[in-house]
Amino acid sequence: MQTPSLLPGHRAILPRRGRVAGTLTGIVAGIVAGESVSSVPAGVVATLSISDGTALAAAGCTTGSAPVTVGDGTLEFGPLALTKMACEQPAMDVEAAVTAVLAGTTTADIEADRLTITSTSPVDGAATGLQFAVATG
């Protein structure tokens, strides 16, 4: 019997008692707003690493972690605990996008080495997301 994977072609992300097994690490390569994708400003780095039920995020300005649970094509993030710090505006803009997406239940789709995590606003139904260049292990 084959174990189902959350993200096709990436066996490092597998359900195990509702948690993520293996490791996924990605660098934010794009910020999705509706149908458009914008690049991350030069000099700003945001990353996400998911391993053993925990998401570690460098959100552009601050760093933090959250519990994460795997569903069928979804990632459900618990509360994201971040350090407190102020940064230049481009980093704060990226951080706002990262924290908006990594909250609650999101959809997750991977194609080749690109992971897209999308969140839908409960207020207006607008879709926002992050595109990551990823590596698994």
Side-chain angles (χ1 to χ4, degrees), residues 28-51:
V28 177
I31 299 169
V32 180
E35 296 295 317
S36 48
V37 179
S38 59
S39 59
V40 175
V44 178
V45 177
T47 63
L48 177 67
S49 180
I50 297 174
S51 181

Side-chain angles (χ1 to χ4, degrees), residues 5-46:
S5 63
L6 167 68
L7 305 171
H10 287 261
R11 299 186 61 73
I13 304 299
L14 301 172
R16 181 179 68 192
R17 295 188 198 129
R19 298 292 217 167
V20 174
T23 301
L24 176 136
T25 301
I27 297 173
V28 177
I31 299 169
V32 180
E35 296 295 317
S36 48
V37 179
S38 59
S39 59
V40 175
V44 178
V45 177

Side-chain angles (χ1 to χ4, degrees), residues 6-136:
L6 167 68
L7 305 171
H10 287 261
R11 299 186 61 73
I13 304 299
L14 301 172
R16 181 179 68 192
R17 295 188 198 129
R19 298 292 217 167
V20 174
T23 301
L24 176 136
T25 301
I27 297 173
V28 177
I31 299 169
V32 180
E35 296 295 317
S36 48
V37 179
S38 59
S39 59
V40 175
V44 178
V45 177
T47 63
L48 177 67
S49 180
I50 297 174
S51 181
D52 298 324
T54 301
L56 301 174
C61 179
T62 63
T63 60
S65 65
V68 63
T69 303
V70 175
D72 184 19
T74 64
L75 296 172
E76 183 175 346
F77 294 91
L80 182 60
L82 293 170
T83 57
K84 295 191 185 227
M85 186 172 155
C87 296
E88 296 293 323
Q89 195 59 49
M92 295 303 293
D93 292 343
V94 171
E95 178 149 326
V98 169
T99 58
V101 172
L102 303 184
T105 301
T106 63
T107 59
D109 181 54
I110 198 160
E111 188 174 318
D113 64 351
R114 180 131 343 225
L115 167 68
T116 302
I117 298 175
T118 307
S119 177
T120 303
S121 169
V123 176
D124 61 9
T128 57
L130 300 170
Q131 290 184 340
F132 295 87
V134 297
T136 59

